[in-house]
Amino acid sequence: MVSNRRATLRALAASALGAGAMLVATGPLALANAADYEWPPTFNVVTPVVGTGNHSLAVAWSAKFSAATGSRVAVLPAQNGFARAAWLNTGEGRLALVQASDYFDQMDAVQGYASKAAGPTDTRLIHINMVAPWGYAVRGDSKIKSIEDIGPGTRIALAKSSSFLVSGVEALLAYRGLKREDVQLVEVGSYGANTAVLVEGRVDVTFTSPLSGTSYRAEAGPNGLRWLELPAANKDPEAWARYRSIMTGYVRNKASSGVKSAIGLNMDHAFQGNHVRGDEDPEFVYQLVKWLDENHDSFKKDFTHAHMLSVDNLVAFLENGALQPLHEGAIRYLKEKGLWKDGYQARQDKLVEMAQARAKAFKAAMAEAEQKGIEVQPGNAPWMALWTDYRKQHGMGEPFGRQVLSMQ
């Protein structure tokens, strides 16, 4: 069933991807607006750091939104994925960028998600922002031509700022049958530095996205940029199984957006969208999703990849197996347009049940830890052991992502 799910998601990636128009200025446009809805005076949208595609996308649509509605949107770039989760959970942000691998790691309380603020919470997707390719980049003058060339002594950038960046490195090592001590891991402190060290020649390979501004700058540099194609699953099934056991929530497909050096190469793709808290006002979500759909033409040319933010992509995501539950406000809009199906609702109900159970378990585990005088802190061994044992005792030992991918 998992293989079937991945096959259908691969079809989704093919339909959702497409090259967008380059950043251009737009003139005055008549923007549709819900005149009878009173927008909040201001709200915050949490994104990855400046220079990433999702930050640029948020700036593009929020500028048009604020001009049309009078509601001021503040775009808040967070230093890492853990902070994005924490800011959404604590109300610092009303929307926050999440991709499936982030969501899975958060629900397992992996790494920085094992904190009181960033841990498992019932959050919901409201739309798809982009279908982002992720892959392994080397300098254009590198002697490394394929993933098979990665071996003992290879220098690999390791950014611990988000769990999926660490997973990208771990998956590469798993594919090649290598351990951390077999290679030279060069730790960097941010997403931007993850590519900067490659340009500087301090590492041989890095895990990043062709959509990011850092990749465009690297490709324009004197040494250029090259990407290592992700091999097909049947080339080495055992290596692929090791890789995919770590890289859950992605689909392999040809990149059709991003820097020229990546176009046409097979890479993993992540479906990225904004999440809100499960208890967010349904009317606010409904009106926002409606506005983004009805006014898509007003901002889709303001950023290269803004064409991906569409209801069509959201429906395609649902049609081929949602990886996260939707907020009821988004569901209401889809129903209004005649796009919601009984099958979507059945899967939605299962996803919500799983998410709420995991969030409840995390709270209970934190309460138990506090009773025992154990500090709830990422990296604190007694806390991590307690959380792991709690999950096993309550039937949640399997990683959350694997549970989702194996759903009927």
Side-chain angles (χ1 to χ4, degrees):
M1 186 65 186
V2 175
S3 61
N4 290 338
R5 181 76 61 198
R6 288 171 182 155
T8 53
L9 283 173
R10 190 175 299 110
L12 165 59
S15 65
L17 294 174
M22 292 305 292
L23 187 64
V24 295
T26 59
L29 292 172
L31 304 182
N33 186 29
D36 57 345
Y37 178 68
E38 185 176 349
W39 293 100
T42 184
F43 62 90
N44 297 339
V45 177
V46 182
T47 73
V49 295
V50 176
T52 58
N54 278 286
H55 177 269
S56 298
L57 175 59
V59 171
W61 73 255
S62 65
K64 291 292 170 58
F65 173 85
S66 293
T69 67
S71 177
R72 297 182 60 187
V73 179
V75 178
L76 305 181
Q79 65 269 37
N80 54 51
F82 315 126
R84 294 201 305 273
W87 291 2
L88 179 60
N89 286 349
T90 59
E92 179 70 18
R94 202 157 179 179
L95 282 69
L97 185 280
V98 180
Q99 67 180 36
S101 57
D102 288 324
Y103 181 70
F104 295 163
D105 284 344
Q106 182 185 6
M107 299 310 275
D108 286 336
V110 170
Q111 299 172 36
Y113 293 117
S115 71
K116 293 180 180 179
T121 310
D122 179 19
T123 66
R124 311 284 178 87
L125 183 76
I126 66 170
H127 59 64
I128 295 296
N129 281 10
M130 297 191 295
V131 186
W134 288 94
Y136 303 99
V138 299
R139 287 199 340 182
D141 59 353
S142 174
K143 295 181 180 180
I144 297 175
K145 305 299 182 182
S146 72
I147 283 180
E148 283 72 17
D149 293 332
I150 305 297
T154 300
R155 300 172 302 164
I156 304 173
L158 178 64
K160 294 184 176 180
S161 55
S162 289
S163 61
F164 76 91
L165 294 175
V166 176
S167 295
V169 173
E170 296 286 2
L172 175 62
L173 297 180
Y175 188 94
R176 294 293 297 131
L178 299 168
K179 298 179 180 180
R180 282 192 171 208
E181 53 267 30
D182 295 330
V183 299
Q184 297 181 44
L185 296 178
V186 179
E187 293 192 17
V188 296
S190 68
Y191 180 72
N194 196 41
T195 301
V197 291
L198 179 70
V199 174
E200 296 165 2
R202 293 166 52 195
V203 299
D204 302 310
V205 62
T206 191
F207 178 69
T208 189
S209 174
L211 301 185
S212 300
T214 51
S215 295
Y216 281 95
R217 289 191 291 274
E219 185 172 80
N223 297 301
L225 200 61
R226 188 154 40 78
W227 300 82
L228 308 181
E229 188 162 32
L230 183 62
N234 59 6
K235 183 173 183 180
D236 188 337
E238 292 184 1
W240 178 262
R242 295 193 300 268
Y243 172 87
R244 187 53 83 207
S245 69
I246 297 172
M247 292 292 280
T248 54
Y250 295 81
V251 292
R252 178 182 180 273
N253 212 310
K254 289 185 177 181
S256 58
S257 295
V259 293
K260 291 182 179 180
S261 55
I263 301 300
L265 295 179
N266 283 297
M267 296 184 183
D268 257 347
H269 288 73
F271 296 88
Q272 302 175 322
N274 277 329
H275 272 223
V276 296
R277 289 164 55 134
D279 59 1
E280 176 60 86
D281 177 15
E283 185 67 22
F284 169 75
V285 173
Y286 165 80
Q287 293 290 351
L288 183 57
V289 174
K290 178 183 176 72
W291 190 95
L292 289 167
D293 182 34
E294 293 182 347
N295 295 280
H296 191 208
D297 285 345
S298 75
F299 62 83
K300 72 178 182 181
K301 293 183 179 180
D302 290 355
F303 170 60
T304 308
H305 310 300
H307 65 284
M308 295 187 196
L309 198 169
S310 69
V311 169
D312 286 345
N313 277 347
L314 178 57
V315 171
F317 181 66
L318 291 167
E319 187 67 18
N320 292 276
L323 301 179
Q324 302 119 296
L326 265 65
H327 191 275
E328 59 183 294
I331 294 173
R332 174 186 161 193
Y333 184 66
L334 292 175
K335 286 182 176 179
E336 184 178 281
K337 292 180 69 70
L339 299 172
W340 189 253
K341 298 180 180 180
D342 291 343
Y344 301 163
Q345 189 63 56
R347 187 172 177 83
Q348 167 79 5
D349 292 343
K350 292 180 182 179
L351 289 169
V352 169
E353 181 181 1
M354 289 171 57
Q356 292 180 341
R358 187 61 63 96
K360 182 179 179 180
F362 190 71
K363 288 182 179 179
M366 286 195 295
E368 183 177 325
E370 291 175 0
Q371 290 176 354
K372 295 181 177 180
I374 298 175
E375 185 179 10
V376 177
Q377 185 71 23
N380 182 26
W383 158 236
M384 299 311 300
L386 187 155
W387 168 237
T388 299
D389 290 342
Y390 191 95
R391 283 173 53 191
K392 290 179 179 178
Q393 292 170 10
H394 293 80
M396 299 179 185
E398 185 180 16
F400 193 85
R402 293 183 190 174
Q403 288 182 295
V404 171
L405 291 175
S406 63
M407 283 174 57
Q408 299 297 318

